[in-house]
């Protein structure tokens, strides 16, 4: 089945902003009916999210973060995540972000998939990684990064989501993956960290 009847084609592009973090453009596009329209969006380098699974004597716990997110003006509960540096391999980024933000390193890793968090106005793609066989070291936060690290059981995280205490889209998607992996519905292919 062809998608030609849905595709929009770029006619012209104008840069609106090139900041330290954001790059915003406005495109003129030709619609499938040949009319012209405007599309404004954020060009994003991509990111990773890590679902760190910590085996304890009491069972599985997830390594989570609490961090103030300025655009929404509140502290959010999230899985560890971070932006790709220019040309950075996502697996390398996942390992770096987990260590920098939480202090944990993982011996085993599995790439789960990708998510597009805001398809209406951003090119951002987030790779989802699972990490296990964790060992704790020292966090390496950036000087302008402030966050708390804590652990929760999958049931505790599920309850927090159901109560509306966790509303971050990538974390909710991560929980979907986690549920399906833990139930055996979805499988992962684990690899050793390099």
């Amino acid at each position: 089945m062809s998608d030609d009847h849905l595709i929009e084609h770029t006619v012209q592009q104008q840069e609106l902003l090139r900041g330290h973090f954001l790059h915003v453009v406005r495109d003129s596009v030709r619609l499938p009916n040949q009319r012209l329209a405007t599309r404004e969006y954020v060009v994003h380098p991509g990111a990773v999210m890590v679902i760190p699974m910590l085996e304890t004597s009491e069972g599985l716990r997830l390594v989570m973060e609490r961090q103030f997110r300025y655009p929404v003006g509140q502290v959010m509960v999230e899985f560890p995540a971070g932006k790709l540096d220019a040309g950075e391999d996502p697996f390398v980024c996942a390992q770096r972000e987990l260590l920098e933000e939480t202090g944990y390193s993982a011996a085993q890793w599995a790439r789960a998939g990708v998510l597009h968090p805001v398809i209406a106005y951003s090119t951002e793609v987030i790779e989802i990684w699972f990490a296990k066989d964790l060992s704790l070291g020292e966090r390496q936060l950036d000087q302008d990064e402030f966050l708390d690290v804590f652990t929760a059981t999958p049931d505790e995280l599920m309850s927090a989501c159901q109560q509306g205490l966790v509303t971050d889209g990538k974390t909710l998607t991560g929980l979907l993956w986690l549920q399906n992996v833990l139930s055996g519905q979805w499988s992962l292919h684990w690899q050793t960290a390099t």
Side-chain angles (χ1 to χ4, degrees):
M1 175 182 254
S2 171
D3 289 334
D4 288 347
H5 65 288
L6 301 172
I7 306 296
E8 300 175 359
H9 297 278
T10 306
V11 175
Q12 183 178 12
Q13 186 171 84
Q14 175 188 8
E15 184 174 83
L16 301 178
L17 169 74
R18 185 177 287 276
H20 173 71
F21 180 67
L22 294 179
H23 180 202
V24 182
V25 297
R26 177 184 296 136
D27 287 358
S28 295
V29 299
R30 185 166 312 284
L31 302 173
N33 66 3
Q34 302 306 306
R35 290 186 177 190
L36 294 178
T38 301
R39 302 289 183 249
E40 295 176 350
Y41 59 98
V42 176
V43 178
H44 191 284
V48 298
M49 175 184 65
V50 181
I51 301 169
M53 303 188 316
L54 181 63
E55 289 294 340
T56 70
S57 57
E58 292 85 36
L60 178 65
R61 297 193 68 84
L62 306 166
V63 179
M64 305 294 299
E65 299 176 353
R66 295 179 66 250
Q67 184 172 188
F68 181 75
R69 293 300 193 171
Y70 185 84
V72 294
Q74 64 186 46
V75 173
M76 303 294 282
V77 172
E78 308 171 51
F79 282 119
K83 180 177 69 70
L84 290 166
D85 289 338
E88 186 177 27
D89 179 89
F91 181 41
V92 172
C93 182
Q95 293 175 80
R96 176 179 55 79
E97 288 292 340
L98 180 63
L99 178 62
E100 285 179 1
E101 293 185 355
T102 70
Y104 282 98
S105 297
Q108 297 290 314
W109 290 84
R111 182 183 179 276
V114 300
L115 72 107
H116 293 90
V118 285
I119 58 175
Y121 60 87
S122 178
T123 63
E124 183 177 9
V125 175
I126 300 174
E127 283 205 10
I128 304 165
W129 287 85
F130 277 73
K132 66 180 183 179
D133 297 336
L134 303 181
S135 57
L136 184 58
E138 190 171 326
R139 292 193 306 172
Q140 301 168 12
L141 293 175
D142 295 334
Q143 69 180 23
D144 60 352
E145 194 170 29
F146 304 91
L147 55 89
D148 291 336
V149 176
F150 69 100
T151 64
T153 66
D155 286 343
E156 289 169 342
L157 181 57
M158 179 70 71
S159 177
C161 291
Q162 194 242 346
Q163 294 172 44
L165 302 175
V166 176
T167 59
D168 171 56
K170 68 184 179 308
T171 300
L172 294 170
T173 300
L175 183 59
L176 171 70
W177 269 94
L178 181 68
Q179 282 181 295
N180 283 288
V181 166
L182 294 178
S183 72
Q185 295 295 312
W186 296 354
S187 63
L188 295 172
H189 301 286
W190 292 94
Q191 65 186 46
T192 304
T194 54

